[in-house]
Amino acid sequence: MYDFAIIGGGIVGLSTAMSLGKRYPQARILVLEKESNWAFHQTGNNSGVIHSGIYYKPGSFKAKFCRDGSRSMVEFCQEHEIDHEICGKVIVATNEQELPRLENLYKRGLENGLQVQKISPEEVKEIEPHVSCVAGIRVFSTGIVNYKQVCLKYAQLIEKQGGDLRLNTKVLKIAASGNNQVLETNNGNFETKFVINCAGLHSDRIAKLGGVEPKAKIVPFRGEYYELTPEKRYLVKTLIYPVPNPDFPFLGVHFTKMIDGTVHAGPNAVLSLKREGYKKTDFDLRDFAEVMTYPGFWKLAAKHADEGIQEIIRSFSKAAFVKSLQTLIPEVQAEDLVPTHAGVRAQALMDDGKLVDDFLIIPGQNSIHVCNAPSPAATSSLEIGKAIASQVPQQSHLETVIVA
């Protein structure tokens, strides 16, 4: 019999287990992960950025958790000697039309309590000599880290607390047993008093297994990256982002210096035909059919048709991808880039075609379901874990947390 069972061994699931162990030292805690390693999907394939929180709506959970999480993540890395760097980043407007959006972003950064600074094109070049722009913002608190290393440390700390960690264990069914719940898996059954669903790309399905209607469907978007060749890494010193289109839910292709010294360029954002589809050829009939028959997807596609077409073109045309990157760094050429790993973002989408813009946490009967935790969930993981752990005793009073 376990007190808490967490489904999902990504960074949010592990952080939640660790926070529960700190809050309830005597509790029996179980973490179930269907893959052979921790941080196998979203966490292990993200860009490794410690985000500042500049993009998120003031007062939202993303804004608060990301701002606080960037600090707690840095403190955690310092305490446990995990490689990280607070290198800062620049967000640049490449034409006059983007200046109002850049100004709005600057004001949002101030509203979110961040250290941000307007900088001229000349000042941008002092930080990033190869960038072409008409204005920029410097965000000081942005950093880089390897989140797989963070997750391995989380797992070690959970084990020290006495937690039970099970890899290669897939939840197939959730059944009631009096006031408790039985998790039926490919490796036996586990009985628990409380379930916490942190299943990422499958979180909506796990919620339904637990008798909870998430009111949103996970739609997978694949983000494809290129990597600068070693001799061209000098073109990027820190992180370089364009001004995002506020009507489009993704940040646009950008340059990211990684903690291992490599430089990644991307991502684009295309619909994945499989929830864990990291290659263009990956396909799953169930995953594909669910998206194609979901009214919310077609409403989203209609609203963002032009942007969606451009993303697809970038996916199949390296020349188009390079052209997007050249708006930031004109010197970049096709021969300077080689393909690297892709990631898949689990994005919750409502029936009306609106993307769930904030973290989505839904209470159930003796359960909590994290049904939308895309970026900046890795940065925010310690804060999300603490928030979930603090809500557990009052589960009967929880309300659905959603900002659409």
Side-chain angles (χ1 to χ4, degrees), residues 139-215:
V139 186
F140 291 87
S141 59
T142 302
I144 50 177
V145 71
N146 183 331
Y147 283 117
K148 280 188 176 180
Q149 291 181 3
V150 173
C151 282
L152 290 177
K153 179 54 66 174
Y154 285 179
Q156 289 174 11
L157 294 173
I158 294 165
E159 284 189 319
K160 283 185 180 179
Q161 293 169 347
D164 189 356
L165 301 176
R166 304 290 184 103
L167 293 166
N168 301 303
T169 306
K170 182 178 181 178
V171 174
L172 305 172
K173 186 178 178 182
I174 301 175
S177 176
N179 291 327
N180 301 324
Q181 298 179 71
V182 176
L183 306 181
E184 300 180 14
T185 80
N186 60 319
N187 276 327
N189 296 347
F190 302 88
E191 189 169 356
T192 182
K193 297 176 183 176
F194 200 93
V195 171
I196 301 171
N197 165 19
C198 299
L201 285 156
H202 300 279
S203 56
D204 57 340
R205 292 172 176 171
I206 293 294
K208 289 180 179 180
L209 288 181
V212 170
E213 176 51 58
K215 301 178 183 177

Side-chain angles (χ1 to χ4, degrees), residues 255-329:
F255 292 92
T256 306
K257 183 178 78 167
M258 309 291 281
I259 197 65
D260 63 1
T262 60
V263 176
H264 287 193
N268 60 349
V270 294
L271 176 70
S272 176
L273 305 184
K274 180 180 179 182
R275 290 205 182 191
E276 295 165 1
Y278 298 99
K279 300 175 184 176
K280 292 182 178 70
T281 54
D282 286 342
F283 177 83
D284 181 273
L285 182 59
R286 178 190 177 190
D287 294 349
F288 176 71
E290 279 190 8
V291 173
M292 291 297 105
T293 57
Y294 186 54
F297 170 73
W298 293 107
K299 292 172 183 175
L300 176 74
K303 182 179 179 182
H304 297 293
D306 292 343
E307 295 95 336
I309 290 169
Q310 291 304 313
E311 296 289 342
I312 293 170
I313 291 171
R314 273 194 286 267
S315 178
F316 287 93
S317 168
K318 184 177 182 180
F321 206 111
V322 172
K323 188 176 180 180
S324 295
L325 293 171
Q326 286 173 333
T327 62
L328 296 172
I329 300 181

Side-chain angles (χ1 to χ4, degrees), residues 23-39:
R23 191 176 182 92
Y24 303 105
Q26 305 305 315
R28 293 200 65 202
I29 297 172
L30 171 70
V31 182
L32 302 177
E33 166 56 50
K34 69 183 179 68
E35 305 293 354
S36 58
N37 294 295
W38 307 112

Side-chain angles (χ1 to χ4, degrees), residues 26-58:
Q26 305 305 315
R28 293 200 65 202
I29 297 172
L30 171 70
V31 182
L32 302 177
E33 166 56 50
K34 69 183 179 68
E35 305 293 354
S36 58
N37 294 295
W38 307 112
F40 195 88
H41 289 293
Q42 288 188 99
T43 307
N45 293 288
N46 70 17
S47 59
V49 176
I50 302 174
H51 288 285
S52 64
I54 190 171
Y55 299 109
Y56 312 116
K57 183 179 178 181

Side-chain angles (χ1 to χ4, degrees), residues 227-245:
E227 181 181 329
L228 282 178
T229 57
E231 60 270 20
K232 292 293 183 175
R233 291 174 187 167
Y234 71 88
L235 292 173
V236 177
K237 308 296 183 186
T238 59
L239 309 179
I240 306 164
Y241 282 69
V243 181
N245 180 350

